[in-house]
């Protein structure tokens, strides 16, 4: 029996953002007006909360009130552009984690409240909307920045953000966490400036794009055949050989990602990404304008970075002078966990550790948030405390 096609009720542009990070599956703004009942003879209807009502509740629930805490959402001037960061933590003495989001063009900031709040007891956590993404895209003239949308420029941006954090918080080093596309920038900085990092942590680490795409395609096709899903098999065969030697177009990538997602290679055990996309709609950190421009920024980023990303190959980049950690989902086919594992076996670093998450695919921090935080605390945080960049846990 043929399985039903996955319901992906999102814009075409949103689906295109699946290139490296995941299928965005971003929905429309979910603001709902309050309903009133003017006829007392009719049964009263439940009142619907507006988007501002919901976001204010979420913001109040996660408000940081500790005397030495930090809770900032602010624009920075980075290499000639306005770029937005969220900086949150209960104690400024804690080590800093700079989170490099995926995509390109897919911010983590609007969904960070779904997993990040417990981190803030032990770390100062920085979410950053990269050049061409989210709030940063909305704050700049895209035509003026088009020529700067390169991996080299975005690596330089990352370095500038790291320097800002080191100086502002008087830290010796920070932790750098790269998720999916963000792991491209993260490894580059780990190579260039190991002296800035207590450790680099890759999540859904990207190593060789074409090999990763090939393994994801093979997974989706095998799943389609084992489930006798003729629709999925037909669509996947229509782009064969994938990726082959042909250009990685948006259309071909979209087909592969559609069925990876449906068979749990993006989020384990789920057929779609609506849980994350819906969370964006009630983010206290994003305005209606920010949400409206997410798709546009994603397509903008992909248009400028797709070719460079397609050619990426870090397989021979194996020598590091800072500790290297990987947190990998056993079921991740959005970025191949096997390619990352093979690469990691050859990595030479002062310290290295690969942590497997058996009930996760690509969205490890959301799929197993408790285990993720446990390993942040036990595997990474002690090195910062030892170096004097964080207080001991009492």
């Amino acid at each position: 029996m043929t399985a039903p096609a996955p319901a992906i009720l999102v814009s075409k542009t949103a689906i295109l953002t699946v290139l490296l990070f995941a299928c965005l599956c971003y929905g429309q703004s979910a603001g709902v007006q309050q309903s009133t009942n003017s006829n007392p003879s009719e049964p009263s209807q439940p009142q619907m909360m507006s988007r501002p009502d919901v976001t204010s509740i979420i913001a109040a629930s996660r408000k940081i009130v500790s005397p030495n805490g930090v809770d900032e959402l602010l624009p920075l001037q980075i290499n000639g552009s306005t770029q937005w960061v969220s900086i949150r933590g209960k104690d400024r003495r804690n080590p800093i984690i700079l989170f490099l989001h995926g995509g390109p063009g897919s911010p983590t900031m609007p969904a960070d409240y779904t997993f990040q709040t417990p981190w803030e007891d032990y770390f100062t956590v920085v979410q950053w909307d990269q050049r061409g993404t989210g709030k940063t895209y909305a704050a700049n003239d895209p035509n003026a920045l088009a020529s700067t949308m390169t991996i080299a420029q975005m690596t330089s941006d990352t370095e500038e953000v790291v320097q800002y954090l080191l100086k502002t918080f008087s830290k010796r080093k920070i932790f750098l966490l790269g998720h999916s596309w963000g792991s491209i920038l993260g490894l580059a900085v780990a190579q260039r400036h190991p002296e800035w990092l207590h450790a680099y942590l890759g999540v859904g680490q990207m190593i060789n794009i074409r090999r990763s795409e090939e393994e994801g395609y093979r997974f989706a096709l095998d799943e389609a055949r084992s489930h006798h899903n003729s629709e999925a098999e037909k669509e996947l065969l229509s782009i064969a050989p994938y990726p082959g030697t042909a250009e990685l177009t948006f259309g071909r990538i979209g087909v592969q990602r559609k069925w990876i997602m449906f068979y749990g290679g993006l989020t384990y055990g789920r057929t779609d990404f609506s849980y994350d996309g819906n969370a964006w709609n009630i983010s206290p950190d994003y305005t209606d304008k920010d949400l409206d421009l997410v798709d546009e920024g994603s397509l903008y980023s992909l248009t400028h970075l797709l070719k460079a990303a397609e050619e990426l190959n870090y397989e021979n980049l194996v020598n590091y002078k800072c500790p290297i950690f990987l947190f990998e989902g056993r079921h991740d086919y959005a970025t191949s966990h096997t390619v990352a594992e093979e690469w990691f076996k050859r990595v030479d670093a002062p310290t290295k550790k690969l942590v497997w998450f058996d009930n996760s695919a690509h969205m490890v921090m959301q799929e197993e948030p408790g285990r993720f935080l446990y390993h942040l605390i036990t595997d990474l945080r002690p090195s910062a405390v030892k170096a004097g960049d964080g207080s001991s846990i009492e």
Side-chain angles (χ1 to χ4, degrees), residues 39 44 114 219 279 287 326 343:
N39 188 343
S44 61
T114 65
F219 160 79
T287 66
L326 290 191
W343 166 82

Side-chain angles (χ1 to χ4, degrees), residues 48-92:
M48 303 297 290
M49 298 182 71
S50 67
R51 181 177 184 273
D53 290 336
V54 175
T55 57
S56 65
I57 291 171
I58 294 173
S61 72
R62 66 196 298 253
K63 182 179 179 181
I64 292 176
V65 296
S66 51
N68 200 35
V70 56
D71 186 353
E72 297 179 335
L73 181 64
L74 71 161
L76 303 178
Q77 292 303 309
I78 303 294
N79 288 329
S81 66
T82 301
Q83 303 193 22
W84 279 83
V85 296
S86 163
I87 307 176
R88 295 176 50 86
K90 300 289 181 61
D91 189 336
R92 289 173 178 264

Side-chain angles (χ1 to χ4, degrees), residues 155 177 265 294 324:
T155 300
L177 188 165
V294 164
I324 304 291

Side-chain angles (χ1 to χ4, degrees), residues 163-213:
Q163 281 295 295
Y164 169 83
L165 296 172
L166 291 172
K167 294 174 183 176
T168 301
F169 290 88
S170 300
K171 296 294 185 182
R172 296 172 176 84
K173 302 179 181 182
I174 70 166
F175 292 108
L176 194 58
L177 188 165
H179 181 226
S180 199
W181 153 263
S183 70
I184 295 173
L185 306 179
L187 273 188
V189 174
Q191 276 279 319
R192 290 158 61 96
H193 295 288
E195 72 278 9
W196 295 351
L197 306 182
H198 291 299
Y200 167 73
L201 168 59
V203 183
Q205 180 65 51
M206 307 208 69
I207 298 298
N208 183 318
I209 303 304
R210 285 192 167 266
R211 279 192 62 200
S212 181
E213 292 297 302

Side-chain angles (χ1 to χ4, degrees), residues 2-3 5-6 217 220-242 251-252 254-256 258-259 262-263:
T2 299
Y217 175 80
L221 186 58
D222 287 347
E223 288 293 304
R225 286 171 170 165
S226 67
H227 289 86
H228 307 291
N229 187 339
S230 58
E231 178 184 354
E233 184 176 2
K234 180 180 178 181
E235 288 192 12
L236 288 164
L237 289 175
S238 73
I239 62 170
Y242 184 87
R252 298 178 75 221
V255 170
Q256 186 248 34
K258 171 183 175 180
W259 295 107
F262 185 63
Y263 286 114

Side-chain angles (χ1 to χ4, degrees), residues 347-366:
V347 164
D348 180 38
T351 302
K352 71 174 189 176
K353 184 175 182 179
L354 169 58
V355 180
W356 286 109
F357 290 77
D358 291 332
N359 296 305
S360 295
H362 193 62
M363 307 303 296
V364 183
M365 60 277 182
Q366 289 168 286

